[in-house]
């Protein structure tokens, strides 16, 4: 399974990467740090020609250059990308962000825990659910 993590915090990206490695399931984690790079990756533009289409996207909302809300809206309007499940994984607990994310067709919304062990548990839970239980659309 190929997973795209859109995360500008290097510490959170590193934690997620370690959690997926330790999870034991065959996953390939690709990381980009902002919304412009996320859309280039998804459309296989510039340096991302030849990258695999992700099976799942983990999307932070608070990103530089193009925020996660814009990315979510853009990819859900694109007929070639809209079926890719998107998990919003962010620090925002704001009701307006939760509502807007679901209005933009996010598949779920998870608030990042600040505790290291809880963060690892969340990432492993995502992996377990989306990689073993969920039937994803074909690429």
């Amino acid at each position: 399974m190929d997973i795209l993590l859109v995360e500008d915090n290097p510490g959170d990206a590193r934690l997620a990467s370690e959690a997926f490695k330790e999870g034991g399931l065959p996953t390939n984690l690709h990381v980009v740090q902002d919304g412009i790079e996320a859309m280039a990756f998804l459309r296989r533009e510039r340096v991302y020609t030849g990258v695999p289409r992700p099976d799942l996207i983990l999307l932070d909302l608070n990103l530089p250059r193009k925020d996660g809300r814009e990315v979510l809206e853009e990819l859900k309007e694109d007929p070639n990308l809209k079926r890719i499940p998107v998990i919003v994984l962010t620090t925002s607990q704001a009701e307006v962000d939760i509502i807007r994310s679901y209005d933009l067709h996010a598949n779920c919304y998870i608030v990042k825990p600040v505790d290291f062990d809880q963060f690892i548990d969340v990432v492993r839970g995502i992996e377990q659910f989306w990689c073993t239980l969920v039937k994803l659309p074909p690429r």
Side-chain angles (χ1 to χ4, degrees), residues 20-74:
F20 279 113
K21 284 178 188 171
E22 292 178 17
L25 296 173
T27 57
N28 298 312
L29 186 67
H30 309 273
V31 181
V32 296
Q33 296 182 347
D34 65 53
I36 290 175
E37 292 302 309
M39 293 311 300
F41 185 100
L42 291 165
R43 292 190 172 128
R44 299 177 183 151
E45 298 170 342
R46 300 189 320 254
V47 299
Y48 301 108
T49 58
V51 298
R53 180 178 183 258
D55 300 294
L56 182 66
I57 300 169
L58 304 178
L59 178 65
D60 189 13
L61 291 183
N62 302 310
L63 299 167
R65 301 201 306 159
K66 179 183 283 194
D67 78 8
R69 297 158 199 85
E70 294 172 288
V71 171
L72 184 57
E73 183 172 20
E74 196 172 324

Side-chain angles (χ1 to χ4, degrees), residues 113-127:
V114 291
D115 177 76
F116 171 80
D117 291 329
Q118 289 178 347
F119 185 85
I120 296 293
D121 288 343
V122 164
V123 172
R124 286 184 181 154
I126 290 168
E127 181 183 44

Side-chain angles (χ1 to χ4, degrees), residues 5 7-18 29 31 119:
L5 173 62
E7 174 59 67
D8 64 322
N9 181 317
D12 287 350
R14 189 179 64 253
L15 284 176
S17 178
E18 289 174 16
L29 186 67
V31 181
F119 185 85

Side-chain angles (χ1 to χ4, degrees), residues 94-125:
E95 189 173 295
V96 66
D97 284 335
I98 296 167
I99 291 168
R100 177 106 171 105
S101 295
Y102 282 114
D103 284 347
L104 293 171
H105 307 288
N107 295 85
C108 66
Y109 191 102
I110 299 172
V111 177
K112 286 184 211 173
V114 291
D115 177 76
F116 171 80
D117 291 329
Q118 289 178 347
F119 185 85
I120 296 293
D121 288 343
V122 164
V123 172
R124 286 184 181 154

